[in-house]
Amino acid sequence: GAGVSQSPSNKVTEKGKDVELRCDPISGHTALYWYRQSLGQGLEFLIYFQGNSAPDKSGLPSDRFSAERTGGSVSTLTIQRTQQEDSAVYLCASSLARSDTQYFGPGTRLTVL
Amino acid sequence: DQQVKQNSPSLSVQEGRISILNCDYTNSMFDYFLWYKKYPAEGPTFLISISSIKDKNEDGRFTVFLNKSAKHLSLHIVPSQPGDSAVYFCAARRTSYDKVIFGPGTSLSVIP
């Protein structure tokens, strides 16, 4: 069956530009997560969605980061005025419910020049 | 402050031998632990988990051991195979409804 998909797979942008990263979760999964993996670091939690609402956005590093989820499905992570320190692999995961196993997408590698 | 630590960034093991990946945690409230495996250019995939009420969980070649008093867990892979070469992430959470905290990962290389 279809897994979690993310697009684009790679994104190179210039400092100061805005970027949008997309996540298509597994159909029927109500929980959706965004993580970030910087070079040499673990997976850093960014935000969790239950349906279309985000009860936990404690990991968003600054107000330049925002995310939304529509129709209980697709989610978009937006980074405004990108900085070089935003360069990382952004991973999306989904699960049936919060307590269930998370299934990850392949990630989007963001490079900010 | 890193709550889940994997102090070995990398590990090399001969094919057929045992691989032991270690993980330490600082939060005594963690009650569920997971291991994920990640190949390059792919997302992590769930491998095995253990609840704090157990001290061992086995699934085929993979066994996870939990020592709560030491706040330490380990993943044993026996026998190791070249296809096991990947980055292994240890993860933990406090309750079913809390976020999962991941460690920095250990890169395992299994040499044929």
Side-chain angles (χ1 to χ4, degrees):
Chain A
V4 178
S5 61
Q6 292 185 246
S7 60
S9 55
N10 277 286
K11 176 73 177 177
V12 180
T13 190
E14 293 178 349
K15 179 180 168 181
K17 302 274 189 176
D18 297 352
V19 294
E20 279 191 358
L21 311 180
R22 178 187 168 108
C23 172
D24 281 89
I26 294 172
S27 177
H29 280 195
T30 63
L32 185 147
Y33 317 79
W34 283 97
Y35 294 88
R36 174 170 78 171
Q37 186 181 16
S38 303
L39 194 62
Q41 303 296 312
L43 299 173
E44 177 190 1
F45 168 81
L46 298 178
I47 188 169
Y48 154 64
F49 284 92
Q50 180 59 46
N52 291 335
S53 63
D56 187 350
K57 48 179 85 171
S58 61
L60 293 178
S62 75
D63 58 7
R64 296 187 295 104
F65 288 71
S66 63
E68 65 173 15
R69 188 179 185 194
T70 55
S73 180
V74 172
S75 176
T76 304
L77 177 69
T78 301
I79 309 173
Q80 295 178 310
R81 305 180 303 282
T82 52
Q83 304 294 311
Q84 287 183 331
E85 61 263 28
D86 299 335
S87 296
V89 175
Y90 289 80
L91 289 155
C92 174
S94 71
S95 62
L96 272 173
R98 185 160 199 183
S99 58
D100 293 318
T101 300
Q102 296 180 30
Y103 294 85
F104 283 82
T108 293
R109 180 174 295 278
L110 175 66
T111 304
V112 182
L113 301 176
Chain B
D1 179 38
Q2 209 167 48
Q3 297 187 64
V4 179
K5 304 178 185 184
Q6 294 176 258
N7 293 322
S8 298
S10 63
L11 176 69
S12 279
V13 171
Q14 206 73 30
E15 181 179 5
R17 300 289 190 111
I18 183 171
S19 294
I20 300 176
L21 296 100
N22 292 304
C23 177
D24 297 286
Y25 59 95
T26 58
N27 192 336
S28 57
M29 300 298 290
F30 286 144
D31 71 351
Y32 193 70
F33 304 88
L34 311 95
W35 285 92
Y36 278 79
K37 174 179 174 178
K38 183 182 185 302
Y39 292 118
E42 295 183 13
T45 55
F46 171 75
L47 189 57
I48 192 168
S49 62
I50 187 166
S51 163
S52 61
I53 62 172
K54 294 187 173 182
D55 54 19
K56 176 182 173 181
N57 188 26
E58 192 172 348
D59 183 2
R61 297 186 296 114
F62 302 90
T63 302
V64 56
F65 294 92
L66 175 62
N67 181 335
K68 283 184 295 183
S69 61
K71 296 196 187 70
H72 177 84
L73 63 154
S74 60
L75 175 68
H76 293 211
I77 307 173
V78 182
S80 300
Q81 299 173 354
D84 297 329
S85 298
V87 176
Y88 289 80
F89 291 100
C90 173
R93 69 174 191 222
R94 289 185 303 173
T95 68
S96 297
Y97 296 95
D98 205 0
K99 60 174 163 270
V100 176
I101 309 293
F102 286 84
T106 295
S107 178
L108 173 67
S109 295
V110 179
I111 304 160

